[in-house]
Amino acid sequence: MLLERVELGDNMGLSDEKGAKTTGLANGEPSNRELKMLMDLLESGSKDEQHMLAKTLLEMVRKV
């Protein structure tokens, strides 16, 4: 799911900054425990930490 969203953003020409903000992790109820963990990590950090984690996730997903 996350890989599909990252690829869609890349195909649309979104910058990494915009892509980090629109990964969709904070939208709705998580569909599995891994997404729940990621959402919990994002919610527990400051805005700067949330942004850094989102950017790191983008980089990780692109390497898969």
Side-chain angles (χ1 to χ4, degrees):
M1 179 184 93
L2 186 55
L3 177 58
E4 292 169 358
R5 290 184 183 193
V6 170
E7 288 175 342
L8 179 62
D10 288 346
N11 291 338
M12 293 174 58
L14 293 179
S15 68
D16 283 349
E17 294 296 318
K18 186 72 171 174
K21 292 178 182 177
T22 59
T23 56
L25 290 176
N27 296 334
E29 196 63 30
S31 59
N32 58 47
R33 65 181 181 200
E34 290 83 5
L35 284 178
K36 174 148 179 33
M37 182 201 62
L38 288 174
M39 288 176 65
D40 290 344
L41 279 171
L42 282 169
E43 291 172 0
S44 68
S46 69
K47 290 291 181 189
D48 287 339
E49 291 167 332
Q50 291 173 4
H51 186 70
M52 181 64 73
L53 179 57
K55 286 182 72 170
T56 301
L57 287 170
L58 283 173
E59 291 175 23
M60 179 189 74
V61 168
R62 286 185 177 133
K63 290 180 182 180
V64 172

